[in-house]
Amino acid sequence: MSKRSPFRYFKTSPEIIRLAVMMYIRFPLSLRNVEDLLHERGIDISHETVRFWSQRFGPVFASEIRKRRIQSMRSSLWRWHLDEVFVKINGEIYYLWRAVDHEGEVLKSFVTKKRDKKAALKFLRKAMRKHGRPEAIVTDRLRSYGAAMKEIGNIDRQHTGRWMNNRAENSHLPFRRRERAMLRFRRTRSLQQFAAVHAAVYNLFNSERSLSSRTIFKLNRAAALSEWRGLLAF
């Protein structure tokens, strides 16, 4: 029995839906910015349609990307960088935890109300359940990390130091740009969902441009676009 297409009830072509979702998630654009850019290309849709498509298909695309990439991420067991950044939701402060490998791949994003030992322990267990146990974990000097890793028997693999965790701190920048374009979040659920989707799309298109030649960069970019256009193609 063949798998049914998730686009089967939509009149718009899958190519246009993929393009709209990619533009909204990948670039720091508002919903109306995406609407205007698509209108310039002869595609007349409302910004609310872009919102609906991103909420409906964003998690599905992200899940498909993760399934394809997780098998080729064995090098992620070498070293992880952990960091947390605060996000305001309706005036209250929440924390977005991130696990990033040494190549800049975002492994896990997790939202909590606090950043204590319990939150750090839950975040670590979720990341290790999916990606295994790394050889080294770089963190800042937040005591919650040490307490959590001591409980799971990973304290000997923890490394802290000045500038050692720049990889994780820099990974927050693309998300911060998206947060400003979206005028922040209203619910923790929407923050968690968008952070996970944004991380998957960022991983797909992040080719470390400064570390490769122009020729290699163009090949990597074309491969990423080709993979995106092939998502959920039946």
Side-chain angles (χ1 to χ4, degrees):
M1 182 177 179
S2 60
K3 192 174 180 180
R4 293 190 297 178
S5 170
F7 306 104
R8 61 187 179 277
Y9 297 126
F10 292 82
K11 296 180 180 179
T12 310
S13 67
E15 290 76 14
I16 294 177
I17 294 176
R18 291 193 194 96
L19 175 62
V21 174
M22 182 193 71
M23 291 172 68
Y24 179 62
I25 297 176
R26 182 184 174 190
F27 303 108
L29 301 172
S30 66
L31 294 167
R32 287 175 173 79
N33 290 151
V34 176
E35 177 186 351
D36 292 341
L37 289 172
L38 291 176
H39 182 267
E40 186 182 0
R41 290 163 172 78
I43 304 170
D44 186 16
I45 60 172
S46 167
H47 67 278
E48 289 296 339
T49 302
V50 179
R51 185 200 306 275
F52 176 75
W53 286 348
S54 64
Q55 293 176 349
R56 174 72 177 270
F57 292 101
V60 182
F61 292 155
S63 177
E64 187 73 13
I65 292 171
R66 285 191 291 267
K67 286 180 183 178
R68 296 184 180 190
R69 295 178 71 84
I70 200 167
Q71 297 299 325
S72 60
M73 290 170 58
R74 302 302 180 189
S75 61
S76 294
L77 294 176
W78 176 21
R79 185 174 69 247
W80 290 3
H81 297 259
L82 308 184
D83 193 33
E84 74 290 338
V85 63
F86 76 89
V87 181
K88 277 192 176 182
I89 303 177
N90 296 326
E92 294 187 38
I93 293 180
Y94 289 79
Y95 294 95
L96 175 63
W97 302 71
R98 278 176 177 269
V100 184
D101 71 2
H102 59 282
E103 295 180 340
E105 190 93 4
V106 182
L107 305 175
K108 186 67 179 177
S109 299
F110 186 58
V111 180
T112 63
K113 175 62 176 173
K114 300 180 180 180
R115 55 173 181 172
D116 53 8
K117 173 187 171 183
K118 182 179 179 181
L121 189 61
K122 189 173 183 180
F123 169 61
L124 280 168
R125 284 175 172 167
K126 281 181 173 289
M128 291 182 181
R129 190 180 303 123
K130 179 174 290 187
H131 298 284
R133 189 181 294 263
E135 297 178 6
I137 299 180
V138 180
T139 70
D140 55 23
R141 291 185 173 87
L142 181 67
R143 294 183 179 181
S144 301
Y145 288 121
M149 283 192 272
K150 185 176 181 180
E151 181 164 330
I152 63 177
N154 227 25
I155 192 65
D156 58 321
R157 304 185 184 189
Q158 183 185 12
H159 302 275
T160 59
R162 193 177 184 183
W163 300 311
M164 288 184 64
N165 212 24
N166 285 352
R167 173 66 75 177
E169 293 174 359
N170 290 338
S171 74
H172 295 310
L173 299 180
F175 178 80
R176 282 299 199 193
R177 287 193 289 267
R178 290 298 299 117
E179 181 189 19
R180 287 193 292 271
M182 296 173 67
L183 302 179
R184 300 188 177 180
F185 297 89
R186 303 291 184 270
R187 296 181 299 169
T188 56
R189 181 180 178 183
S190 61
L191 169 59
Q192 177 66 70
Q193 183 183 74
F194 188 84
V197 173
H198 181 268
V201 175
Y202 174 79
N203 290 339
L204 176 61
F205 289 100
N206 181 30
S207 57
E208 294 289 343
R209 185 169 187 170
S210 61
L211 301 179
S212 59
S213 65
R214 176 67 179 174
T215 303
I216 299 300
F217 166 73
K218 289 170 65 176
L219 291 174
N220 291 337
R221 182 175 58 184
L225 281 172
S226 177
E227 183 176 344
W228 175 265
R229 291 166 181 159
L231 293 176
L232 302 178
F234 298 98

